[in-house]
Amino acid sequence: MCTEFDQSKRPDEVATLFGVVRVKPLPPRRNIFPKKPVTVIGLNGAERGMAELRWGLVPHWYNSPDQKPQPHNARAETVDRLPEFRECFRHRRCLVPADAFYEWGAVAGKKRKHRFRFTDDRLFAFAGLWDCWGEGNEKLLTCCFITGVPNELVVTVHDRMPVILQPDDYDVWLDSTTLAAELKRLLRPYPADGMECLPL
């Protein structure tokens, strides 16, 4: 389970990497926790757009936003079956830009936070889901991202990691016509090459 990550790059850097035409001045953030605002990339018609959503998914069919826990992660193994996620998995997918994520693990018998990133500090994207609860002034846009089996670096600290998508797969993930079997194929561990773990 991932409960903290960074979006510390400038909006124009994010827009350039993800092919967003209209840049929104969304602030860079570090150490983002659940229920905090995050930047996501999705399709706005035929174009990619940027939006600010709250981290912690509130399905549109909840009676109220606080009806049940608001999951911030969805498991790759069950994301297509659990009622909280399956409709979003089919129809409401997004990219969650990040430049680092954090996991807790034991070092010399003590719990310690570890920061995972790429050695060149490049941006990457989690496989995300979004939903819209309510209408009008009560409208609430929320998101979560998917976690799965860790790669050989992350497994030294934790038994799960966020699903990081390959850049060549961004269009496939966002395309509303992509079949579920193809989407599931994308939910695999990102290679550890070029990644590093920094104990904090």
Side-chain angles (χ1 to χ4, degrees):
M1 182 180 294
C2 181
T3 59
E4 188 178 352
F5 70 104
D6 290 346
Q7 292 185 327
S8 65
K9 304 299 184 184
R10 299 192 317 268
D12 59 308
E13 293 181 84
V14 177
T16 298
L17 179 66
F18 292 100
V20 173
V21 178
R22 296 177 182 84
V23 181
K24 286 195 173 184
L26 303 175
R29 303 178 180 95
R30 288 190 182 273
N31 305 108
I32 304 169
F33 291 95
K35 297 191 176 181
K36 297 298 184 182
V38 299
T39 299
V40 304
I41 309 294
L43 288 181
N44 183 8
E47 295 181 346
R48 291 184 187 175
M50 300 171 70
E52 188 175 76
L53 278 63
R54 194 176 79 181
W55 185 18
L57 194 73
V58 177
H60 66 273
W61 45 265
Y62 274 16
N63 292 327
S64 74
D66 300 318
Q67 174 185 337
K68 295 181 181 179
Q70 301 165 16
H72 47 277
N73 295 159
R75 293 177 69 92
E77 298 86 345
T78 56
V79 67
D80 56 337
R81 301 197 304 274
L82 292 181
E84 290 85 355
F85 309 118
R86 64 189 176 203
E87 190 176 340
C88 296
F89 181 68
R90 292 176 191 143
H91 305 295
R92 291 184 288 279
R93 299 181 298 276
C94 61
L95 305 172
V96 183
D99 47 279
F101 63 93
Y102 301 83
E103 299 288 2
W104 286 83
V107 175
K110 294 183 179 180
K111 279 278 193 178
R112 191 169 177 185
K113 187 162 71 171
H114 296 71
R115 186 172 188 253
F116 292 91
R117 65 169 196 166
F118 285 92
T119 53
D120 60 4
D121 199 29
R122 69 177 180 265
L123 272 164
F124 49 89
F126 302 142
L129 309 173
W130 68 274
D131 210 339
C132 179
W133 181 90
E135 297 178 350
N137 293 333
E138 286 195 84
K139 186 180 290 185
L140 176 63
L141 291 165
T142 61
C143 66
C144 69
F145 54 78
I146 300 172
T147 65
V149 175
N151 62 28
E152 56 268 32
L153 176 65
V154 179
V155 76
T156 62
V157 173
H158 202 272
D159 61 357
R160 309 233 7 124
M161 71 176 286
V163 172
I164 299 173
L165 295 171
Q166 296 281 357
D168 289 346
D169 293 329
Y170 293 168
D171 285 337
V172 177
W173 182 253
L174 294 177
D175 188 343
S176 62
T177 65
T178 303
L179 298 177
E182 178 67 6
L183 294 171
K184 289 283 282 188
R185 184 190 66 79
L186 303 182
L187 306 182
R188 57 188 185 270
Y190 196 94
D193 296 347
M195 293 185 71
E196 64 181 357
C197 174
L198 305 171
L200 301 177

